[in-house]
Amino acid sequence: MIPSIHDRGSETIGLINYLYGPGTAEEHIDPHLVAAFDPLTPDPGRDPKATYEQLKRLLDQPVNALPAGKRPEKHVWHLSVRAAPEDPILTDEEWAAIARRMVAATGIAPDGDEAACRWAAVRHADDHIHIIATLVRDDGRRPRLHNEARRAQAECRRIEADYNLRRVPAGDGTAAKRPTSAERHKAEREGRDRTAREELRETVRRAVAGASSEEEFLDRLKGAGLLVHTRVLPSGDLQGYKVALPDDHNGDNEPVYYAGSTLAPDLSLPRIRKRFSGGPPSHGPDATPSAQAPSGPAAARRRTARAAWQAMLIIDHGEDAQVAAHIAAAGEVLDALAKTSAAHTRAELREAAFVFERATRSHVQAERGHDRALRRAARDLIHSGPALGRGEDGATTAMVIDMVFFLVTATAHWHAKKNHAQQAAAARQAAEHLRAAYRTAADMPLAVLYQRGQHLSQPLRQRQAAYLRQAVPELAEQALAEPGWFALAATLADAEAVGHDPAGLLAEAAERRELATADSITEVLVWRLRRMADLPADATAIPERAVTAAPGKHRADHLRPGRDVQPRRTR
């Protein structure tokens, strides 16, 4: 159950009109009162003689009783309480009881306080109610609303337990500000998938991914098409920034600007500067992608997979401050991947980055500098440009998603151990989007490897099976029974052909991190081995060799993706 305290207002009648009106898309069905400070409160939804104006006068009476100069300008308090989609539909009586608990918990109308604020709860949909209250008590004093949002959250957790509803992870005050109802309605009217606040937060996150200076960050914001306004001190130093979408205007046709700190706590300029303070995410102050490493999307994805592997080890065994830095940098990697990957994986990667953003912030203070390799990887991805959805670009995309999936899963485990409920839930949700992106990216390269493995000579395949039993005896039979065994056999043969010891390589790949919980042991090993042995991720790029093909099986149609491919187990 989600409570949302909305911005305070100055017009009671305006909010009443909205609550009893049809809604922006005719979504308000049968608006009616379920509870109020006085059982005799008129209900314009059910009583044809009651009017909006009557309800407004009743609620505003304590305000109007004050001298004009002492009336608060913004005296309208508004709270919505929403159940989860899978929750049962609650009755009006149940919602009434919930409304009374919420106004008591927040300080609007404490139990037994006869001079409390006046309030009314309106239901116009199955899954939520709205509570409107006047922020002047009947005795003329103001209510004590210190930390009312946190108290509302705590009461919702108790309500979930009492009504056997979905348990929403408790917050810790580090989440980004949710879009207001006005922002959501505006996005719906304008046909936007997300509110302006959410679009801007995503664009700013992408702009900071792998950036090494304020100048580069601001240039990226402008390059993304945002309107950027900066505040400069008399000394010439930058004090802050705010951004706007060029087509998002207020009633006066002016751009609606958001400061970085209002988009997310870690997007304020001082917090962004801390990312730069750990040192540049490049090999030198003037390094370019071509100077620091081979250029190209595939090469950048290989380097990212290596950095993700090392980061996973830190998350498993590092100090908390180091882990927090690596998790934050993992968010930059996801943003960079989403920005540069091909269209068929981009949507899921974008969703993964969007939800993982919540996992990047907690009360554990990040110790910047330790995350340099991951931030460098994010920078490489951005500077290497968009990846194709095929060939080595496409196959290395599958490779890096596989590795980032485990990185995000390790993040979920770490947050769970620290009792960071919202962050752990966000990481798990991001992992599901990565799982979907992986399936899309991996289908073709694994199909090619599967077919190549099927056409290995029997003695060669038996030799690879012996290597497997030697290296990971406890998992060998499970791996041999998986459809992905043929892809792994082809990979082992490729590694052997270029001079690697397959058994040693397998043992190293397996011992670095456990495999028992993987949905497909063979697929995980395929990508680890191809990365460790520096084999092409795209098997079609490997010249046909007798060592990896049975005699007489060199026809090109045996490399045609999708031919006689059995279904694979996925993570």
Side-chain angles (χ1 to χ4, degrees):
M1 183 162 281
I2 302 294
S4 297
I5 296 179
H6 303 268
D7 292 338
R8 295 180 184 182
S10 56
E11 293 291 336
T12 304
I13 192 66
L15 182 54
I16 291 174
N17 281 329
Y18 166 73
L19 296 180
Y20 279 97
T24 56
E26 304 292 331
E27 73 273 21
H28 294 180
I29 301 170
D30 185 25
H32 60 280
L33 214 63
V34 294
F37 76 101
D38 184 342
L40 300 180
T41 299
D43 180 8
R46 293 287 174 85
D47 183 355
K49 296 181 180 179
T51 66
Y52 297 168
E53 187 63 31
Q54 282 179 313
L55 180 58
K56 181 256 184 193
R57 283 200 302 271
L58 189 63
L59 291 173
D60 279 354
Q61 188 174 343
V63 178
N64 295 331
L66 293 173
K70 294 187 177 181
R71 297 172 189 173
E73 180 183 355
K74 294 194 173 183
H75 64 273
V76 182
W77 187 84
H78 178 199
L79 168 72
S80 61
V81 186
R82 185 178 299 272
E86 63 269 28
D87 284 339
I89 295 176
L90 301 175
T91 65
D92 280 356
E93 291 73 21
E94 288 171 322
W95 276 119
I98 290 170
R100 294 187 187 99
R101 290 177 64 164
M102 295 305 295
V103 294
T106 54
I108 290 293
D111 291 335
D113 187 346
E114 295 183 359
C117 296
R118 300 187 175 195
W119 61 273
V122 178
R123 182 181 188 182
H124 55 210
D126 286 338
D127 63 348
H128 69 278
I129 58 170
H130 292 261
I131 300 174
I132 177 174
T134 302
L135 294 179
V136 176
R137 294 162 46 89
D138 274 1
D139 58 11
R141 295 186 295 118
R142 305 290 178 85
R144 293 183 178 181
L145 297 182
H146 179 65
N147 277 338
E148 83 260 38
R150 184 170 297 179
R151 284 183 276 158
Q153 289 283 355
E155 187 62 27
C156 278
R157 303 295 80 78
R158 290 187 283 268
I159 290 170
E160 290 161 359
D162 293 344
Y163 286 81
N164 196 27
L165 305 176
R166 176 190 167 191
R167 306 295 178 87
V168 176
D172 61 1
T174 62
K177 183 179 179 182
R178 296 169 61 88
T180 65
S181 57
E183 290 170 347
R184 290 195 299 271
H185 294 150
K186 184 177 182 181
E188 290 171 6
R189 289 196 308 270
E190 296 176 350
R192 298 180 187 271
D193 292 336
R194 292 176 178 160
T195 63
R197 179 187 299 275
E198 291 169 319
E199 283 190 39
L200 288 168
R201 186 164 69 237
E202 180 180 50
T203 305
V204 173
R205 283 201 333 262
R206 288 185 175 188
V208 81
S212 59
S213 66
E214 293 174 12
E215 293 76 15
E216 182 181 10
F217 167 61
L218 294 174
D219 285 345
R220 288 188 186 183
L221 290 178
K222 295 170 185 175
L226 299 187
L227 302 178
V228 182
H229 185 273
T230 56
R231 297 189 304 277
V232 181
L233 295 169
S235 63
D237 294 330
L238 188 64
Q239 184 184 26
Y241 75 99
K242 56 183 180 179
V243 289
L245 295 174
D247 58 349
D248 181 37
H249 298 90
N250 59 21
D252 297 325
N253 203 32
E254 298 170 335
V256 180
Y257 280 93
Y258 294 80
S261 58
T262 66
L263 297 176
D266 56 343
L267 294 182
S268 67
L269 187 61
R271 295 284 292 275
I272 287 175
R273 281 179 174 141
K274 288 184 178 180
R275 306 191 193 205
F276 308 147
S277 65
S282 55
H283 290 281
D286 301 316
T288 63
S290 58
Q292 57 183 283
S295 59
R301 277 154 173 72
R302 280 184 173 274
R303 293 194 294 273
T304 301
R306 286 194 293 270
W309 178 264
Q310 295 301 322
M312 211 163 28
L313 301 178
I314 298 297
I315 291 174
D316 281 344
H317 307 294
E319 298 292 332
D320 285 355
Q322 298 174 5
V323 172
H326 279 81
I327 291 173
E332 296 190 36
V333 167
L334 274 173
D335 283 319
L337 266 180
K339 182 176 181 179
T340 59
S341 289
H344 67 304
T345 56
R346 192 179 304 140
E348 291 290 353
L349 289 173
R350 183 188 180 198
E351 288 300 321
F354 186 80
V355 298
F356 187 75
E357 181 254 358
R358 180 67 190 95
T360 61
R361 290 188 305 276
S362 71
H363 285 298
V364 177
Q365 199 73 13
E367 188 176 304
R368 293 294 182 176
H370 298 282
D371 57 349
R372 194 172 300 152
L374 272 183
R375 296 204 70 242
R376 183 185 306 139
R379 183 178 182 83
D380 283 355
L381 289 168
I382 296 293
H383 283 279
S384 67
L388 300 174
R390 59 185 185 277
E392 189 70 3
D393 282 8
T396 52
T397 296
M399 176 187 288
V400 74
I401 293 174
D402 175 83
M403 192 60 65
V404 172
F405 171 88
F406 283 103
L407 177 61
V408 167
T409 302
T411 296
H413 292 162
W414 184 81
H415 278 308
K417 286 191 296 184
K418 298 294 179 183
N419 295 317
H420 301 161
Q422 287 193 351
Q423 291 88 339
R428 287 191 291 268
Q429 190 178 354
E432 289 306 308
H433 287 295
L434 287 169
R435 189 195 303 269
Y438 169 80
R439 292 186 187 118
T440 302
D443 274 347
M444 182 162 299
L446 283 175
V448 174
L449 281 168
Y450 176 91
Q451 289 189 1
R452 291 182 65 246
Q454 270 194 320
H455 294 97
L456 291 175
S457 67
Q458 190 66 18
L460 181 55
R461 200 157 58 225
Q462 289 175 344
R463 191 161 78 237
Q464 309 313 324
Y467 292 143
L468 182 67
R469 290 189 176 97
Q470 176 186 343
V472 283
E474 70 283 1
L475 298 174
E477 297 311 314
Q478 180 182 341
L480 289 168
E482 291 182 1
W485 157 242
F486 293 105
L488 179 58
T491 295
L492 289 169
D494 288 341
E496 188 176 26
V498 296
H500 288 283
D501 170 20
L505 208 60
L506 268 172
E508 184 182 355
E511 73 182 8
R512 290 191 176 185
R513 190 175 177 85
E514 55 86 19
L515 291 168
T517 58
D519 289 344
S520 175
I521 294 171
T522 48
E523 288 187 28
V524 174
L525 287 173
V526 161
W527 297 120
R528 288 187 189 179
L529 292 174
R530 300 198 82 81
R531 178 182 59 80
M532 293 165 61
D534 203 25
L535 296 170
D538 174 26
T540 60
I542 302 175
E544 293 184 72
R545 297 183 298 271
V547 72
T548 60
K553 298 295 184 181
H554 293 278
R555 297 192 305 274
D557 60 345
H558 291 128
L559 298 181
R560 189 180 305 140
R563 184 176 182 270
D564 299 327
V565 176
Q566 300 178 17
R568 297 180 293 101
R569 293 174 61 185
T570 54
R571 52 188 36 75

